Amino acid sequence: MMQPNPAKNVDPPPLAPIGWAISDSLVDYQTALAFMTGRAEAIANGTAGELIWLLEHPPLYTAGTSARSEDLLAPSRFPVHVAGRGGQYTYHGPGQRVVYVMLDVRQRFGDVRAFVHALESVVIDTLAAFNIKGEIRDGRVGVWVRRPAKGEGVEDKISAIGIRLRRWVSFHGLSINVDPDLEHFSGIVPCGIAQHGVTSIVDLGQLVSMPEVDMELRRSFETVLGPVVPIGDPLAPA
């Protein structure tokens, strides 16, 4: 008589806590991209742990895999970087919290759609802590805020989401406009959508600091993913 296989009844081991890193100085985009690429490869090989990395960039534009040349309105204004992530043109700069997310998507979510939904949920929950109602829209990536004072049906984008997967490990991630110079977005058609604008937490009347936003981001990520462990600035000298 065949005996039952006890291994089938054993729960898989819990996933390890995720590293939580913050860089206090502005980070060059190519430096960040090289670090993310290397870290994602190491995660896939099992030689490094998962990581969520918070930072700010100097002013720049990035082009995703769907970027159209006509959406780059001021090509000489800031450096333009080919990002390799999904999406179109985005702006990054001081006052915007960029969150690069390097996770084992297959282990944690099973599919890409659930992963993107988790990132949207993190942003919406973070904004709610500052009395801002973020919403998602079919056919539009990112998180949006209704602006009835500007007119019926007017919405502004407050958060961009763009990811890339390699061997089921994610990199790139999301950004939240805390208090960037919103005029800097005028050099592109953000995410290829000309009929809507951009806004920020401070533009919406909530005077908050970056550390306050980081605190709420950590709370939201832990709600969705489980524990994170601070590890310091990953670019700091050893």
Side-chain angles (χ1 to χ4, degrees):
M1 180 176 178
M2 183 178 293
Q3 296 297 316
N5 182 357
K8 292 184 178 180
N9 300 319
V10 175
D11 292 332
L15 295 171
I18 301 165
W20 181 264
I22 300 176
S23 291
D24 293 326
S25 301
L26 298 181
V27 178
D28 172 75
Y29 186 79
Q30 292 299 332
T31 300
L33 185 60
F35 176 86
M36 280 193 292
T37 303
R39 184 65 173 239
E41 185 69 17
I43 294 169
N45 291 335
T47 57
E50 297 172 298
L51 180 65
I52 298 172
W53 183 22
L54 285 68
L55 55 87
E56 293 172 85
H57 286 303
L60 57 92
Y61 298 128
T62 65
T65 54
S66 301
R68 301 174 300 186
S69 59
E70 62 268 28
D71 289 339
L72 181 59
L73 305 179
S76 60
R77 185 173 188 183
F78 298 127
V80 180
H81 299 273
V82 176
R85 54 156 176 81
Q88 301 183 30
Y89 281 105
T90 62
Y91 165 78
H92 294 312
Q96 181 191 72
R97 177 50 89 206
V98 175
V99 184
Y100 289 138
V101 184
M102 290 150 272
L103 299 176
D104 186 329
V105 172
R106 180 158 49 193
Q107 285 272 29
R108 289 192 175 271
F109 301 99
D111 65 75
V112 177
R113 186 183 299 272
F115 172 49
V116 173
H117 178 69
L119 294 182
E120 293 168 340
S121 298
V122 165
V123 173
I124 290 170
D125 185 53
T126 299
L127 294 174
F130 304 109
N131 299 311
I132 296 172
K133 185 179 181 181
E135 302 178 65
I136 57 174
R137 294 287 179 265
D138 289 339
R140 282 193 258 145
V141 180
V143 177
W144 301 78
V145 177
R146 300 187 191 196
R147 304 301 300 273
K150 292 185 176 182
E152 183 67 26
V154 175
E155 298 178 335
D156 286 346
K157 192 169 192 175
I158 195 168
S159 172
I161 296 174
I163 62 168
R164 182 175 180 182
L165 264 63
R166 180 175 294 170
R167 296 170 62 191
W168 279 99
V169 177
S170 66
F171 52 118
H172 299 283
L174 63 91
S175 61
I176 297 178
N177 297 333
V178 180
D179 189 22
D181 186 337
L182 295 178
E183 200 277 328
H184 286 179
F185 285 87
S186 66
I188 57 172
V189 178
C191 300
I193 303 173
Q195 65 269 37
H196 297 289
V198 290
T199 189
S200 69
I201 294 175
V202 172
D203 183 52
L204 293 170
Q206 302 298 323
L207 302 179
V208 302
S209 66
M210 196 68 77
E212 289 175 303
V213 173
D214 292 348
M215 180 178 66
E216 295 301 334
L217 276 167
R218 178 173 176 175
R219 177 190 57 78
S220 297
F221 268 111
E222 289 195 313
T223 298
V224 172
L225 297 173
V228 302
V229 178
I231 64 168
D233 187 341
L235 299 181

